[in-house]
């Protein structure tokens, strides 16, 4: 437990997206699901934390596969009847235009209260009503407007709701305008910029998730100024926070008293990446986790706890997945054959199609029926490379129609089915570009064995041949793709397949070790406690 000598800090957790449930389409992927799981564990632990987010009218893409085998994006407009109206409306100025936001609240998923800002109100002009239209959609201008609603609007919502906050947690750089708002508040009470910044800093913590330099969002100062994101500050002051162009991550590091990376290896990467940022907060690492009661199958949990027949429960979860796949795709996989799952955002560094690299190795395994593969994932709607990756996966399904399937529109429901019902979970990003990854933790908790390169969280969990397998030994050299592919095949052919078909006892022993490894160490219960002990305290 957190030491109670000091009052447990009251935390406001800011994030662009929250993945609480598939029916509330305000998330895109890993970042949002981490945020949703964070709120659920905070509630389980009765910690005084609230979430601040945006109500996305059209969510992220609903991505479907056309008959030409290519992904298409659909954006339904959502209406929810279960959001609670707090009665609070806040105002901020965007492009000099008065902009109002309603504040909704949702807590129906056993989560700490989540407050969602919504500019779709009658007081606003059409342009302002549509600020929160598509999550990660639109141009830079749209993004800055959204980030102003989240940051500036978020702080004002907390004030209007009458909430006392000790710690402002910016989960990723999207929320840094909240720091500018805190500085502005302090200055309006008579402090100069330096004092106001120092005071704000005592209350801010920041989590970085992006080990790829290009993934760190930057904005031109002229745009920020035009939008009103300066919020009373001047160019010199803004430049001291975020540089020129204005880097949201650099600003996060300079606005926070302490920052964190999301796995041990990511900690090393992030400290190296940001070592030359003057005045940056120290970067510690707190490894991600997942919310056990959301992601662990109840039957599997009970079987594991009581020592009952884990295999029977696993096969039940696998048959549920096989049925869902059959209903969706008309491909009926064999529940008695090895099934490997891979579901991820289609980004080149994640190498979704690495396993198909050498047809002479993979084809006999697929056509003989020894190996079955299920894929899922979305590409960002504006990412043509990502869409090509999806098309390649769909093409592989057509080459191997009985043993490879692709499930369109990856969401939390599919995430649950897949990380419970596969036998094995494959993960092969280019190390060290995966900050953490969490789907493998969900899999591990269900006894779905990980087969992964040593990136993200896996170096902390992996005991090769005991609770899963690693391949490539942490290689980061030239020909990384070729090297990693050869290593993947070697482990697959020499270790995984023989164990599955010839040493079922050992496989089941490994499943137990996997659950034991994951269920606390990679839970958000452990993670949220660590945030309180090391970041919020
Ligand atoms: C868990 C989950 C993710 C994040 O998993 P990664 O391993 O980080 O890719 C993304 N999307 C969905 C739907 C999930 O359930």
């Amino acid at each position: 437990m957190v030491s109670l000598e000091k009052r447990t800090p009251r935390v406001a957790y800011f994030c662009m997206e929250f993945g609480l449930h598939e029916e509330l389409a305000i998330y895109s992927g890993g970042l949002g699901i981490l945020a949703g799981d964070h709120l659920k564990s905070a509630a389980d632990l009765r910690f005084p934390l609230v979430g601040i987010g945006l109500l996305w009218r059209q969510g992220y893409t609903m991505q479907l596969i056309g008959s030409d085998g290519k992904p298409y994006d659909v954006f339904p407009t959502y209406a929810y009847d279960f959001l609670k109206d707090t009665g609070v409306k806040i105002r901020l100025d965007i492009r000099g235009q008065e902009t109002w936001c309603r504040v909704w609240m949702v807590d129906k998923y056993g989560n700490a209260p989540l407050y969602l800002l919504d500019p779709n109100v009658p007081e606003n002009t059409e342009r302002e009503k549509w600020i929160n239209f598509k999550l990660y959609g639109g141009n830079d201008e749209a993004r800055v407007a959204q980030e102003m609603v989240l940051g500036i609007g978020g702080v004002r919502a907390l004030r209007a709701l009458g909430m006392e906050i000790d710690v402002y947690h910016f989960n990723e750089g999207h929320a840094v305008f909240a720091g500018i708002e805190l500085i502005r508040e302090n200055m309006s009470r008579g402090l100069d910029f330096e004092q106001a910044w120092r005071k704000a800093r005592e209350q801010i913590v920041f989590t970085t998730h992006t080990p790829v330099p290009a993934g760190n969002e930057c904005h031109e100062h002229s745009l920020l100024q035009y939008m009103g994101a300066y919020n009373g500050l001047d160019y010199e002051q803004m430049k001291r926070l975020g540089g020129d162009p204005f880097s949201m991550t650099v600003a996060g590091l300079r606005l926070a008293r302490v920052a964190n990376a999301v796995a041990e290896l990511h900690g090393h990467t992030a400290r190296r990446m940001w070592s030359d940022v003057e005045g940056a907060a120290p970067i510690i690492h707190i490894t991600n986790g997942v919310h056990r009661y959301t992601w662990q199958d109840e039957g599997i949990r009970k079987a594991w706890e009581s020592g009952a027949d884990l295999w029977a429960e696993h096969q039940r979860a696998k048959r549920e997945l096989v049925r869902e796949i059959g209903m969706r795709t008309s491909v009926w996989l064999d529940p008695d054959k090895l099934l490997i799952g891979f579901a991820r955002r289609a980004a080149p560094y994640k190498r979704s199609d690495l396993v198909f690299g050498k047809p002479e190795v993979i084809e006999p395994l697929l056509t003989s029926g020894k190996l079955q593969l299920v894929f899922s994932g979305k590409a960002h709607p504006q990412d043509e490379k990502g869409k090509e990756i999806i098309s390649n996966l769909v093409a592989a399904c057509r080459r191997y129609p009985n043993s490879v399937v692709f499930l369109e529109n990856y969401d939390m429901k599919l995430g649950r089915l897949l990380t419970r019902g596969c036998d094995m979970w494959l993960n092969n990003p280019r190390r060290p570009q995966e900050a953490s990854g969490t789907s493998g933790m969900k899999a591990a908790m269900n006894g779905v064995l990980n087969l992964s390169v040593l990136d993200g969280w896996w170096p902390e969990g992996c005991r090769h041949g005991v609770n899963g397998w690693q391949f490539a030994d942490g290689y980061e050299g030239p020909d990384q793709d070729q090297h990693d592919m050869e290593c993947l095949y070697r482990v697959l052919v020499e270790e995984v397949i023989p164990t599955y078909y010839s040493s079922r006892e050992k496989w089941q022993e490994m499943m137990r070790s996997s659950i034991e490894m994951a269920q606390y160490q990679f839970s958000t219960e452990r993670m949220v406690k660590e945030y309180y002990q090391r970041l919020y305290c």
Side-chain angles (χ1 to χ4, degrees), residues 192-341:
D192 67 25
F193 172 71
E194 291 294 332
Q195 296 165 327
W197 179 7
R198 213 172 308 131
K199 184 154 185 271
R201 198 172 169 144
E202 284 165 15
Q203 294 195 297
I204 298 171
V205 300
F206 172 62
T207 303
T208 176
H209 293 262
T210 32
V212 187
N216 285 276
E217 193 182 318
C218 283
H219 295 293
E220 293 301 330
H221 277 266
S222 53
L223 177 65
L224 296 186
Q225 199 159 26
Y226 163 69
M227 298 300 289
Y230 275 22
N231 197 17
L233 271 56
D234 64 26
Y235 169 74
E236 285 304 326
Q237 293 163 343
M238 287 295 280
K239 188 176 149 199
R240 285 188 58 197
L241 295 174
D244 185 358
F246 188 91
S247 160
M248 301 296 271
T249 307
V250 169
L253 290 169
R254 287 184 178 148
L255 281 164
R257 65 172 190 226
V258 52
N260 74 297
V262 292
E264 190 177 335
L265 176 61
H266 179 225
H268 296 293
T269 309
R271 282 185 286 274
R272 202 170 48 236
M273 244 175 104
W274 304 111
S275 61
D276 57 358
V277 176
E278 241 175 82
I283 304 175
I284 63 169
H285 54 264
I286 298 178
T287 302
N288 282 347
V290 298
H291 184 248
R292 190 175 158 200
Y293 297 95
T294 299
W295 298 107
Q296 190 177 44
D297 180 89
E298 205 181 317
I300 288 172
R301 171 167 64 240
K302 284 185 178 149
W304 188 79
E305 279 168 353
S306 66
D309 192 347
L310 187 60
W311 186 254
E313 284 301 324
H314 169 66
Q315 284 300 105
R316 188 225 358 107
K318 188 173 177 183
R319 278 192 302 273
E320 283 170 20
L321 171 63
V322 162
R323 183 186 154 86
E324 182 84 16
I325 294 171
M327 299 286 287
R328 288 185 186 221
T329 66
S330 84
V331 178
W332 292 82
L333 298 176
D334 183 343
D336 294 318
K337 297 282 164 59
L338 178 63
L339 175 58
I340 297 186

Side-chain angles (χ1 to χ4, degrees), residues 88-107:
V88 163
K89 275 188 188 168
I90 59 95
R91 194 198 116 175
L92 71 161
D93 290 344
I94 298 179
R95 304 180 195 91
Q97 172 77 44
E98 190 173 284
T99 305
W100 290 89
C101 296
R102 197 193 298 273
V103 182
W104 300 98
M105 195 275 278
V106 55
D107 61 0

Side-chain angles (χ1 to χ4, degrees), residues 371-440:
L371 176 62
Q372 310 173 101
L373 297 171
V374 53
F375 290 89
S376 192
K378 292 173 180 174
H380 184 280
Q382 291 153 359
D383 176 8
E384 288 311 316
K385 277 217 179 79
K387 291 196 166 174
E388 211 175 292
I389 294 170
I390 302 279
S391 301
N392 291 343
L393 292 175
V394 175
C397 302
R398 295 182 181 180
R399 273 201 308 284
Y400 312 110
N402 304 313
S403 47
V404 181
V405 291
F406 180 85
L407 300 174
E408 65 184 9
N409 201 35
Y410 182 40
D411 67 357
M412 287 179 74
K413 178 179 178 193
L414 278 182
R416 257 189 333 268
L417 280 163
L418 287 164
T419 56
R420 292 169 178 191
C422 289
D423 297 302
M424 166 157 273
W425 198 247
L426 176 62
N427 179 41
N428 47 233
R430 282 188 200 114
R431 177 178 149 132
Q433 298 187 39
E434 190 68 83
S436 166
T438 52
S439 58

